């Protein structure tokens, strides 16, 4: 789960406003590494633990990145990370290092029970100068067996007959990496919430009745991957609550629109949560982030949910942009480079701070493909890392 102390001193107070993604560089390449940071590293070298409250900053960078680090079998991601020569793995590491977020939510990262893949990935980042001593991952719904026909094709045991599509349990899960302590005791995992238990659930039906069956709807979970509420204690800023998820793509279904309706309700879940339909919820200092798999301006799906969440007065949308996306599609707000013309490039990845935060800067790390970092971005994932800088 990570070490119970932090060995990090922040330098982001010197960041100038409006320095967008093409100015993001790895910590090891920053000029003028300050003496406090050098001294902290020396103390660690001699074995002195530096408490988290002794370091920190008033500014906080939070990011979300769909790494697409999902493999076709269990253990294969750990193998690729451990080898240290997998092109995609290395490209994602360089992208994350360039962003240098204090807290980052990862999607499409294979889960394993012991957390070895995530631990190995964090160690690889540390080897590149970016330490995340606090980590969290929980079993996702992907590939979780049900014993029922969940897609209505009359067959059992297929990847689509699990709680959500997966060739094995844990394929394409989620993870959190943090420079600051995660409160594991207060953490909430709503991934087991049944779809039918969501207020005004938009369950799929056909002329024959509940789709694929009443029995399937009795056990069908809402979350495609997971819905997590992760409290993190940040020096000088206090407790920051991450609300993160990875929703179903609103495609790959039939006229019953099962995936479209699930995507809608996965997004709407967060408004129900903030309304305290599932118990007490934070009223300040929270951030909603992840892969929503929905763009209010284009693509398929039911647009009511994404429009409602983006317009919710409890949240603010910094509208992060990138120059790289403009070069590719002419749209500065896209976050994913999908096949043209359908579904095409869209904005599906979000980092939305609560309205009480002051947003200092934001961006989509989509460098010009002619640069080395641009090549890494294309090799790493079809998605681009999204980040915001916030303060109180």
């Amino acid at each position: 789960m990570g070490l119970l102390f932090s060995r990090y001193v922040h330098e982001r107070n010197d960041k100038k406003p409006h320095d967008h993604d093409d100015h993001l560089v790895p910590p090891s390449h920053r000029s003028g590494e300050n003496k406090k940071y050098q001294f902290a590293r020396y103390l660690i070298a001699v074995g002195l633990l530096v408490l988290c409250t002794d370091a920190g900053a008033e500014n906080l960078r939070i990011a979300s990145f769909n790494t697409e680090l999902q493999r076709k079998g269990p253990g294969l991601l750990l193998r690729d990370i451990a080898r240290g020569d997998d092109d995609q793995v290395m490209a994602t590491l360089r992208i994350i290092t360039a962003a240098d977020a204090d807290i980052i939510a990862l999607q499409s990262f294979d889960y394993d029970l012991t957390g070895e893949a995530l631990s190995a990935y964090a160690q690889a980042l540390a080897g590149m100068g970016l330490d995340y001593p606090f980590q969290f991952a929980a079993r996702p719904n992907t590939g979780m067996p049900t014993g029922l026909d969940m897609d209505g094709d009359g067959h059992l045991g297929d990847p689509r007959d699990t709680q959500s599509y997966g060739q094995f349990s844990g394929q394409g899960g989620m993870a959190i990496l943090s420079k600051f302590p995660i409160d594991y005791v207060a953490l909430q995992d709503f991934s087991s919430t049944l779809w039918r238990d969501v207020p005004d659930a938009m369950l799929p039906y056909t002329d024959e009745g509940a789709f694929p069956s009443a029995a399937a709807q009795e056990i069908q979970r809402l979350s495609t991957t997971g819905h997590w509420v992760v409290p993190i204690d940040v020096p000088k800023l206090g407790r920051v609550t991450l609300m993160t998820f990875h929703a179903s793509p609103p495609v790959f279904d039939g006229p019953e629109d099962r995936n479209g309706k699930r995507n809608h309700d996965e997004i709407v879940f967060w408004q129900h949560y903030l309304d305290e339909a599932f118990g007490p919820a934070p009223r300040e200092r929270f951030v909603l982030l992840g892969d929503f798999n929905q763009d209010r301006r284009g693509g398929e799906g039911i647009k009511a949910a994404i429009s409602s969440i983006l317009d919710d007065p409890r949240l603010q949308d910094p509208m992060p942009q990138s120059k790289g996306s403009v070069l590719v599609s002419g749209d500065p707000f896209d976050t994913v480079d999908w096949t043209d013309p359908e579904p095409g490039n869209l904005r599906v990845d979000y980092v939305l701070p609560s309205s009480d935060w002051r947003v200092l800067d934001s961006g989509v790390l989509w460098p010009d493909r002619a640069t080395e970092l641009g090549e890494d971005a294309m090799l790493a994932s079809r998605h681009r890392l999204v980040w915001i800088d916030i303060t109180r």
Side-chain angles (χ1 to χ4, degrees):
M1 298 285 274
L3 302 176
L4 297 181
F5 66 97
S6 173
R7 44 190 179 140
Y8 146 85
V9 176
H10 210 310
E11 300 176 55
R12 194 161 297 116
N13 282 334
D14 297 329
K15 185 177 185 298
K16 297 178 181 179
H18 309 300
D19 283 350
H20 288 287
D21 55 19
D22 43 342
H23 297 291
L24 297 175
V25 294
S28 58
H29 296 168
R30 289 179 179 167
S31 60
E33 184 183 62
N34 61 51
K35 293 181 179 179
K36 187 177 181 182
Y37 183 68
Q38 294 172 346
F39 184 59
R41 293 177 65 184
Y42 169 76
L43 292 179
I44 295 160
V46 299
L48 180 61
L49 303 184
V50 180
L51 296 178
C52 295
T53 52
D54 291 337
E58 295 179 358
N59 301 346
L60 185 67
R61 177 169 293 172
I62 298 180
S64 179
F65 184 30
N66 185 329
T67 64
E68 295 194 313
L69 287 176
Q70 57 215 16
R71 298 298 186 253
K72 293 183 178 180
L76 297 183
L77 178 58
L78 174 60
R79 177 203 65 185
D80 291 346
I81 296 170
R83 285 180 175 175
D85 60 1
D86 182 272
D87 289 340
Q88 186 203 7
V89 170
M90 297 306 298
T92 63
L93 291 170
R94 288 190 290 269
I95 290 295
I96 293 172
T97 303
D100 188 23
D102 298 303
I103 304 166
I104 184 168
L106 307 178
Q107 301 88 42
S108 298
F109 190 98
D110 288 347
Y111 169 84
D112 60 86
L113 184 61
T114 61
E116 288 187 65
L118 183 60
S119 178
Y121 197 70
Q123 290 174 19
L125 285 167
M128 299 174 73
L130 182 58
D131 285 344
Y132 288 116
F134 305 97
Q135 306 146 27
F136 175 74
R139 184 185 181 186
N141 289 334
T142 51
M144 185 180 293
T146 66
L148 295 176
D149 176 10
M150 301 297 286
D151 62 352
D153 68 354
H155 301 287
L156 297 177
D158 295 331
R160 296 187 187 279
D161 292 325
T162 59
Q163 282 290 350
S164 62
Y165 183 88
Q167 294 172 302
F168 63 91
S169 183
Q171 184 183 36
M174 307 191 305
I176 299 288
L177 298 174
S178 175
K179 294 177 179 178
F180 303 117
I182 296 171
D183 187 341
Y184 300 107
V185 175
L187 188 148
Q188 295 175 286
D189 184 358
F190 291 99
S191 306
S192 62
T193 300
L194 296 178
W195 188 355
R196 61 183 172 85
D197 290 339
V198 176
D200 303 316
M202 197 177 285
L203 294 168
Y205 284 86
T206 66
D207 292 341
E208 286 73 36
F211 181 89
S213 67
Q217 287 193 5
E218 284 293 312
I219 66 160
Q220 177 66 71
R221 297 182 174 191
L222 170 69
S223 303
T224 296
T225 312
H227 281 75
W228 300 344
V229 178
V230 183
I232 298 176
D233 293 317
V234 179
K236 298 185 181 180
L237 288 178
R239 173 150 295 194
V240 178
T241 302
L242 261 63
M243 298 155 32
T244 190
F245 74 126
H246 182 185
S248 173
V251 291
F252 311 121
D253 53 16
E256 81 289 339
D257 198 20
R258 176 175 181 262
N259 293 338
K261 292 175 179 177
R262 190 178 190 181
N263 173 275
H264 174 279
D265 284 358
E266 287 185 273
I267 296 171
V268 166
F269 169 88
W270 291 114
Q271 289 178 293
H272 294 309
Y273 171 74
L274 290 174
D275 290 339
E276 301 193 335
F278 298 94
R283 297 187 179 276
E284 61 178 4
R285 300 185 190 180
F286 57 86
V287 180
L288 173 61
L289 73 168
D291 183 348
F292 293 26
N293 257 316
Q294 190 56 261
D295 186 333
R296 77 189 300 177
R297 300 174 303 149
E300 296 189 42
I302 303 169
K303 303 302 179 182
I306 188 64
S307 294
S308 180
I309 203 79
L310 291 177
D311 294 338
D312 193 308
R314 294 168 293 191
L315 294 162
Q316 54 182 314
D317 182 6
M319 298 287 289
Q321 306 178 40
S322 73
K323 296 176 183 177
S325 178
V326 173
L327 294 174
V328 173
S329 70
D331 189 333
F333 302 109
D334 289 338
T335 67
V336 63
D337 189 7
W338 278 328
T339 305
D340 293 322
E342 296 293 338
N345 293 6
L346 297 170
R347 183 191 184 198
V348 299
D349 306 277
Y350 299 84
V351 184
L352 307 175
S354 55
S355 58
D356 55 305
W357 289 109
R358 182 159 60 95
V359 178
L360 302 174
D361 205 355
S362 67
V364 180
L365 211 172
W366 194 323
D368 186 337
R369 63 178 64 188
T371 66
E372 288 187 10
L373 194 61
E375 292 179 0
D376 282 334
M378 290 190 294
L379 180 60
S381 172
R382 293 171 297 176
H383 294 257
R384 300 296 183 261
L385 183 148
V386 181
W387 58 273
I388 62 169
D389 287 345
I390 54 177
T391 190
R392 293 289 292 167

